[in-house]
Amino acid sequence: MKLKSLLLALSAAAVVVSTGAFAQQPIIIKFSHVVANDTPKGKGAERFKELAEKATKGRVKIEVYPNSTLYKDKEELEALQLGAVQMLAPSLAKFGPLGVKEFEVFDLPYIFPTKDVLYRVTEGPIGKDLFKKLEPKGITGLAYWDNGFKDMSANKPLHHPADFRGLKMRIQSSKVLDAQMRALGANPQVLAFSEVYQALQTGVVDGTENPPSNLYTQKMHEVQKHLTISDHGYLGYAVIVNKKFWDGLPADIRGQLEGAMKDATKYANAIAQQENDAALAAVEKAGKTTIYRLTDAEKAEWRKALLPVQKQMESRIGKELIAAVNKEAAALGQK
C-alpha cells in the first residue's frame, strides 16, 4: 500500500513538474512579411518584437521572418488562416482577392490627397469597420501601418499618361490597380513582390509602382532608368493575426501585446516618410535612375486620366465607402 501511495505521489509530482515546465514555455508568434528589414514595415516588425517580448517578460517570443523567407505574398494569407503562421503585415491590396473587396478603396488613385486624410480613415470608424469585415475569414486586424505614396518607374520617361501606352507594368493582385494601369494605357502584370527585381532585370515587365523605400531596398533602381514622383496611390499594410490563435491567448498577454502593437504602430508610421525621403536621396545618389517630379499641370493631367477609376470601381468597392473617404478629405478642405 505504501509503495502504491509512493508511486501515486511521484506520478502526481511528475505531472506538476511537467505542467510547470510547459507553462514556462514561451508562446511563439511567427510574424512573416515580404519586405526587407530596413523598410518601415521591417523596422516596425522588429520594434514590435522588442516591445512585445519586454511587455510579456519573455512569456511571448516573436519570430520575425522578412523578405518572403517563409511565404511569398500570394501564399501568406492562406498560411495565416491555416495557423501555419500567426501574424502578417500584408499590403491592403491583398484583402480584395480574399473576398473583402472594400479594402481596395486604399488602392484607388488620388483618393488620399494627404496623410492627414489617410489617418482620419485608418484611425477612425471607417478603419474599424473594415477590420470587422476580416473576422468571418478567421482574421483579426490589429493596426494599420503606413508605408507611403507610390511613384511610377520604368525604363523610359513617364511625364504624361500617354507615356504608359503599351508598357507592361507590374502590379499587386488588385482589380483596382489593374483598372488604374489600363486607364493609363499600360498592360498590368500581377507578380509576387519577391519576383519583381528579376522581372524588371529580364524585361518580363517594363516598370512598376512603389514607395521609394521599397524601390531602393529591393534594388529596383538598379534596373529602372526613370522614376516619376507621382504620389498617385497609397501603399499601406494591415497587421493581422489568426483570430482563433488571438482569441485563445490569455487576456493579460493579449492586452500586453495590444499595448506593444500600439507603440510599434506609432513608431512605424512616424518613420515611414523619413525612410522614403532617405531612400529617394539614396536612389538619386546612386546615379542610375533619373528622378522626375511632375509639375502641377502634369499632375492634373494624371488625375484627370485616373479619377474615372473611382467611378468604375463603385460597384466593386461600394459607392458609399468611396463617398465616405472623399467626405473625410472634404472635411479637411483637401478635395
Side-chain angles (χ1 to χ4, degrees):
M1 184 63 78
K2 284 183 179 177
L3 182 59
K4 187 177 181 183
S5 298
L6 182 60
L7 287 171
L8 285 170
L10 287 170
S11 176
V15 169
V16 170
V17 170
S18 66
T19 305
F22 179 74
Q24 289 167 15
Q25 291 293 319
I27 296 166
I28 304 294
I29 296 179
K30 291 182 179 177
F31 188 165
S32 172
H33 65 80
V34 302
V35 298
N37 273 328
D38 53 348
T39 58
K41 177 161 64 173
K43 291 185 176 182
E46 291 297 330
R47 178 60 66 95
F48 173 68
K49 170 183 167 68
E50 176 192 332
L51 294 171
E53 292 178 352
K54 184 178 178 182
T56 61
K57 295 180 170 60
R59 290 171 68 193
V60 173
K61 185 170 186 280
I62 312 291
E63 297 178 353
V64 179
Y65 297 91
N67 263 330
S68 304
T69 49
L70 269 191
Y71 300 102
K72 292 184 179 180
D73 48 8
K74 288 180 181 177
E75 308 159 344
E76 60 178 10
L77 276 169
E78 186 181 3
L80 182 89
Q81 289 174 301
L82 292 172
V85 64
Q86 290 73 45
M87 185 174 286
L88 304 174
S91 60
L92 297 165
K94 297 295 188 300
F95 299 118
L98 193 67
V100 190
K101 298 168 186 172
E102 292 88 346
F103 273 90
E104 290 183 349
V105 73
F106 290 102
D107 291 339
L108 288 169
Y110 291 116
I111 198 164
F112 299 110
T114 65
K115 288 281 180 69
D116 289 339
V117 176
L118 170 72
Y119 294 146
R120 278 179 70 106
V121 170
T122 56
E123 295 172 8
I126 295 174
K128 289 182 177 65
D129 287 345
L130 286 170
F131 272 163
K132 284 177 189 170
K133 294 181 186 298
L134 294 175
E135 292 179 6
K137 305 288 183 185
I139 296 169
T140 295
L142 298 181
Y144 291 95
W145 281 7
D146 190 17
N147 189 339
F149 290 113
K150 295 181 288 186
D151 301 316
M152 294 284 196
S153 67
N155 284 326
K156 61 173 284 192
L158 301 172
H159 299 177
H160 307 280
D163 297 331
F164 285 85
R165 197 163 295 136
L167 291 183
K168 293 173 290 184
M169 297 294 289
R170 180 267 171 176
I171 59 166
Q172 300 182 71
S173 181
S174 162
K175 295 292 184 187
V176 175
L177 297 180
D178 184 279
Q180 168 192 281
M181 291 303 185
R182 292 185 191 281
L184 293 169
N187 297 318
Q189 309 285 318
V190 176
L191 279 175
F193 187 68
S194 57
E195 298 169 6
V196 178
Y197 177 88
Q198 189 176 7
L200 291 169
Q201 187 181 39
T202 57
V204 170
V205 293
D206 300 308
T208 186
E209 56 171 13
N210 268 299
S213 64
N214 278 5
L215 181 95
Y216 180 68
T217 57
Q218 295 295 318
K219 304 187 189 308
M220 294 180 200
H221 65 290
E222 294 179 356
V223 287
Q224 294 280 263
K225 293 176 183 174
H226 296 272
L227 175 67
T228 297
I229 309 305
S230 50
D231 294 338
H232 63 279
Y234 172 70
L235 181 64
Y237 311 108
V239 185
I240 56 175
V241 286
N242 176 286
K243 187 177 187 302
K244 187 177 178 182
F245 169 81
W246 188 251
D247 292 346
L249 289 174
D252 61 328
I253 283 186
R254 197 163 55 241
Q256 289 160 349
L257 292 175
E258 284 170 349
M261 182 57 67
K262 189 175 179 182
D263 290 343
T265 298
K266 285 179 187 171
Y267 167 78
N269 290 349
I271 66 166
Q273 190 60 52
Q274 176 187 326
E275 292 289 314
N276 279 312
D277 291 346
L280 190 60
V283 170
E284 201 155 15
K285 187 178 179 183
K288 295 185 176 182
T289 311
T290 300
I291 297 172
Y292 183 78
R293 289 167 174 82
L294 293 177
T295 66
D296 290 345
E298 287 165 345
K299 186 169 270 195
E301 192 183 350
W302 282 51
R303 284 175 63 87
K304 186 178 178 182
L306 289 170
L307 279 175
V309 176
Q310 290 192 23
K311 185 76 176 170
Q312 192 181 338
M313 290 291 133
E314 284 179 352
S315 60
R316 179 178 176 84
I317 296 170
K319 187 176 181 179
E320 296 79 11
L321 176 57
I322 294 172
V325 173
N326 282 322
K327 187 177 177 183
E328 295 291 356
L332 291 176
Q334 294 177 0
K335 276 285 186 197

